[in-house]
Amino acid sequence: MDRAQKEQLVDELGQVFESSGVVVVSHYEGMTVAEMQDLRAKMREVGGSVRVTKNKLAKIALEGKPCASIAELLSGMTVLAYSEDPVAAAKVVQDYSKENDKLVILGGAMGDQALDVAGVKAVAAMPSREELIASIVGCIGAPASNIAGAIGAPASNIASILSTIEEKAA
């Protein structure tokens, strides 16, 4: 890799560190290519990415960024998992590390907040953006369905009363 490629990679990583809702750092020593591809596929499904980079270049990219605290985690065979959704990447890495002992979570960052292993697990336990939107829509829709039911109920009551009167008259 020549100097221009390294500078481009540092710029790309800098943008990743600035725009990501969460960045999770893990060791992946011993993982096969197939396992890494599986992790990448799961991360893509939720709109995140997985990246293996040189630690030194990642540390340079972290300088002056809100999540600069993760620089101390970058040693050994590390992989970065990140997503715009503050929960998605943490959730996928947490779930995958339960299935595969070779992926070991070291920590991460959520904006300027540093996360240890317990912090990443806590973030992974939170509902994702899609789940929150679904629950909000459900809360908004519930009163409307109750109103529709209340408005429709008298009409059905009147119809049943009329049919009862009709049956008595016959």
Side-chain angles (χ1 to χ4, degrees), residues 42-91:
K42 289 180 180 184
M43 193 64 73
R44 263 192 307 271
E45 288 175 11
V46 298
S49 296
V50 174
R51 190 158 200 171
V52 177
T53 63
K54 295 188 98 172
N55 291 333
K56 188 171 184 174
L57 295 177
K59 286 179 183 179
I60 292 169
L62 278 167
E63 290 175 6
K65 303 296 185 281
C67 56
S69 59
I70 65 172
E72 64 192 34
L73 302 174
L74 298 173
S75 64
M77 295 179 67
T78 55
V79 62
L80 302 172
Y82 53 91
S83 64
E84 284 187 32
D85 182 349
V87 177
K91 198 170 274 206

Side-chain angles (χ1 to χ4, degrees), residues 131-148:
E131 292 169 342
L132 286 174
I133 290 171
S135 67
I136 289 170
V137 168
C139 290
I140 291 171
S145 65
N146 290 343
I147 290 171

Side-chain angles (χ1 to χ4, degrees), residues 101-124:
D101 296 348
K102 298 171 194 164
L103 185 69
V104 179
I105 299 171
L106 301 176
M110 193 170 173
D112 59 353
Q113 181 69 40
L115 302 171
D116 58 357
V117 177
V120 172
K121 288 180 181 179
V123 169

